[in-house]
Amino acid sequence: MEEHALASSAFALKLCNGSRNKLRLMLLLVLLLFSFLTRSSLSEIIFEDRFEDGWQSRWVKSDWKKSEGKAGSFKHAAGKWPGDPDDKGIQTSADAKHYAISAKLPEFSNKNRTLVLQYSIRFEQEIECGGGYIKLLSGFVNQKKFGGDTPYSLMFGPDICGTQTKKLHVILSYQGQNYPLKKDLECETDKLTHFYTFILRPDATYSVLIDNRERDSGSMYTDWDILPPRKIKDVKAKKPADWDDREYIEDPNEVKPEGYDSIPKEIPDTKAKEPDNWDDEEDGVWKPPKVPNPAYKGPWKRKKIKNPNYKGKWKTPWIDNPEFEDDPDLYVLKPIKYVGIEVWQVKAGSVYDNVLICDDPDYAKQVVEEVFANREIEKEAFEEAEKVRKAREEEEAQRAREEGERRRKERGYDRRYRDRYKDRYRRDRRDYMDDYHDEL
């Protein structure tokens, strides 16, 4: 009976513990679901376009530069080496053209919220010189006239020209004036897809990411010349007379050893011997040559010790800038109504895709991870395309070499023919002139 009772108690305890674990698991799931729903309800995807079928209904092509014959058109294409052939973007299609296209958004403000602007671009061409950036526009915009002179609130993305310019623009508009980021950021220049992400927070801090890796971060207060600096150096300040900036001083308690100054710098070489052919009468009294004295330590100096009064190197103090006037809404852009692409390219072939405007950096990160699931496929396709390109170029070079050789041979044959004709002409002319002189 006792054994049965103990067994029943153990089973009941185990059942009780199992119930507690189930309860804890259920509570955890409820909390996770609540967290997801709360985050989903608070975050907002303002605009997202992966350029699937029907993208033309959302984007308006501008007629800017059309009358001059300089306007280019985007084509709906996956490009030459996509990670997913079904994942298409919009690609610049003609060299030396201006491209301008825009989409209207539900008007939004980034006041009291994080702004995330993200898109991908792949430079399949040797661009030589041209842009690959994107813009956010405020106020009313005539989309058919959208162009390089249309005001914008934010311009972000790569700008490449030659081998020297590989700039990553971050230009913000404040009270009608454009301010570029003071830092020199470089963009990617290879021919693979890269994601560019700009995050602007309500505390006026920002982050720039490339392929989900932070490339730079900072504050609008310090990294743009929008407002005067909060602090400036006090140009009137002077180092106090009692400021001791000597880190080490001579030990005042150290005393010079007795007889230190009488130690000679050089002493006679005790190992030297008078030469056998030395003549005292002719050469004088022989003296051994001098050698450095190992006991000689140079002029006596006190040892250095830490200065107990050392205050560090004096620096000009910073003071509040009287010209600084804070703007708590420094980070707030004018209400955004459009997103636009406006670039000029010497060589066309850039594929824009995955345009995203939201307030959730985690969602933006998720988009990059989703697209980059096919990253290795894209790399393999690019490498294969490069092999084909190099083989084609080598074949064309070989044909050019053969054609050049053929033309050189033809020119050589013509030259030999001309030389034979000249020789015959000279002989005939000499015979004619001889006959002429004979007649004379």
Side-chain angles (χ1 to χ4, degrees):
M1 287 292 292
E2 290 182 3
E3 291 180 359
H4 179 71
L6 288 171
S8 299
S9 299
F11 177 76
L13 183 60
K14 185 176 180 181
L15 185 64
C16 184
N17 288 336
S19 300
R20 284 201 199 98
N21 290 335
K22 287 182 180 179
L23 182 60
R24 286 172 183 166
L25 182 60
M26 289 178 64
L27 286 173
L28 180 60
L29 290 172
V30 169
L31 287 172
L32 288 173
L33 180 62
F34 176 77
S35 175
F36 174 78
L37 292 174
T38 303
R39 183 173 138 193
S40 299
S41 62
L42 293 177
S43 62
E44 180 182 0
I45 299 172
I46 298 154
F47 180 84
E48 184 173 16
D49 204 328
R50 303 196 184 187
F51 295 98
E52 297 169 344
D53 292 340
W55 69 273
Q56 297 96 329
S57 64
R58 297 183 293 277
W59 293 81
V60 177
K61 180 189 173 185
S62 174
D63 292 332
W64 186 58
K65 296 290 183 179
K66 184 177 180 180
S67 61
E68 304 171 35
K70 298 179 180 179
S73 296
F74 287 95
K75 64 180 180 180
H76 193 215
K80 298 177 183 177
W81 43 82
D84 179 359
D86 296 327
D87 183 8
K88 295 182 179 181
I90 55 173
Q91 186 175 31
T92 56
S93 57
D95 296 344
K97 298 293 183 181
H98 293 266
Y99 296 86
I101 194 169
S102 62
K104 192 171 184 180
L105 320 175
E107 183 175 297
F108 76 95
S109 171
N110 68 315
K111 186 176 176 66
N112 296 325
R113 67 196 299 194
T114 297
L115 169 65
V116 181
L117 172 61
Q118 177 175 280
Y119 70 104
S120 68
I121 188 166
R122 180 169 69 249
F123 293 113
E124 292 191 344
Q125 76 279 39
E126 298 289 349
I127 190 169
E128 293 185 8
C129 198
Y133 36 81
I134 197 167
K135 296 178 177 180
L136 295 183
L137 315 172
S138 303
F140 172 75
V141 173
N142 184 342
Q143 292 178 264
K144 295 297 288 182
K145 295 183 179 180
F146 166 57
D149 54 355
T150 303
Y152 58 83
S153 293
L154 168 61
M155 174 174 148
F156 173 58
D159 193 3
I160 301 170
C161 198
T163 58
Q164 300 299 317
T165 302
K166 304 173 185 178
K167 192 170 186 63
L168 177 56
H169 286 295
V170 187
I171 303 176
L172 297 171
S173 177
Y174 180 78
Q175 296 183 356
Q177 185 172 344
N178 294 336
Y179 294 89
L181 180 70
K182 294 191 292 184
K183 299 177 181 178
D184 290 328
L185 303 184
E186 286 195 357
C187 62
E188 300 296 323
T189 56
D190 60 39
K191 296 183 178 182
L192 297 174
T193 298
H194 292 286
F195 273 86
Y196 291 88
T197 310
F198 177 67
I199 303 171
L200 182 60
R201 306 177 187 86
D203 61 356
T205 61
Y206 72 94
S207 293
V208 174
L209 288 76
I210 299 180
D211 300 338
N212 268 348
R213 295 181 179 180
E214 187 172 84
R215 182 63 60 91
D216 187 57
S217 63
S219 171
M220 286 182 64
Y221 284 99
T222 57
D223 296 345
W224 281 266
D225 286 327
I226 298 176
L227 298 180
R230 291 177 182 270
K231 300 281 186 178
I232 57 173
K233 287 187 176 182
D234 185 0
V235 295
K236 297 180 180 179
K238 294 182 179 179
K239 183 170 69 171
D242 61 346
W243 188 278
D244 195 340
D245 57 5
R246 298 171 302 163
E247 188 174 358
Y248 292 90
I249 59 171
E250 292 181 349
D251 184 357
N253 299 321
E254 189 178 14
V255 179
K256 184 193 298 185
E258 187 176 349
Y260 186 92
D261 291 338
S262 62
I263 299 173
K265 188 175 183 179
E266 294 180 326
I267 57 174
D269 184 359
T270 57
K271 297 180 180 179
K273 294 181 179 181
E274 181 180 330
D276 294 338
N277 60 352
W278 187 272
D279 189 332
D280 289 345
E281 291 183 1
E282 291 183 6
D283 301 327
V285 179
W286 181 82
K287 294 180 181 179
K290 297 282 184 109
V291 294
N293 184 0
Y296 179 75
K297 304 299 183 185
W300 185 79
K301 293 179 181 178
R302 287 187 173 91
K303 292 180 181 178
K304 295 281 187 176
I305 60 172
K306 281 277 189 179
N307 183 2
N309 298 319
Y310 176 65
K311 295 183 178 181
K313 298 296 181 183
W314 187 82
K315 296 178 181 179
T316 306
W318 293 84
I319 59 173
D320 290 335
N321 184 0
E323 296 182 3
F324 174 77
E325 184 177 345
D326 193 12
D327 180 359
D329 289 337
L330 176 65
Y331 72 98
V332 180
L333 306 178
K334 290 182 178 180
I336 304 299
K337 296 182 69 174
Y338 307 86
V339 58
I341 299 170
E342 176 278 309
V343 294
W344 175 80
Q345 294 184 342
V346 172
K347 297 291 185 181
S350 304
V351 182
Y352 280 86
D353 202 358
N354 304 298
V355 177
L356 172 66
I357 305 168
C358 68
D359 57 8
D360 185 359
D362 288 336
Y363 178 71
K365 180 180 179 181
Q366 179 184 325
V367 171
V368 178
E369 291 173 347
E370 179 185 332
V371 174
F372 275 4
N374 297 319
R375 184 68 162 175
E376 291 304 316
I377 298 175
E378 179 186 344
K379 288 180 179 179
E380 291 172 3
F382 170 68
E383 290 169 0
E384 187 61 33
E386 280 293 283
K387 290 178 183 177
V388 173
R389 180 186 65 81
K390 290 177 181 178
R392 184 175 63 250
E393 289 180 352
E394 179 57 33
E395 184 179 337
E396 292 173 354
Q398 181 61 29
R399 283 202 300 267
R401 287 193 293 269
E402 292 173 354
E403 179 66 15
E405 184 63 26
R406 184 184 66 79
R407 291 182 178 180
R408 280 193 295 274
K409 288 179 179 179
E410 288 180 353
R411 286 197 298 271
Y413 176 79
D414 291 344
R415 188 178 298 111
R416 289 194 299 273
Y417 178 78
R418 288 196 302 270
D419 291 344
R420 285 198 300 272
Y421 177 79
K422 287 179 181 178
D423 291 341
R424 180 180 177 185
Y425 172 77
R426 290 192 188 100
R427 282 197 307 272
D428 292 346
R429 189 172 185 276
R430 276 198 305 272
D431 294 344
Y432 170 79
M433 292 304 293
D434 289 345
D435 293 342
Y436 171 76
H437 288 302
D438 289 343
E439 289 178 5
L440 290 176

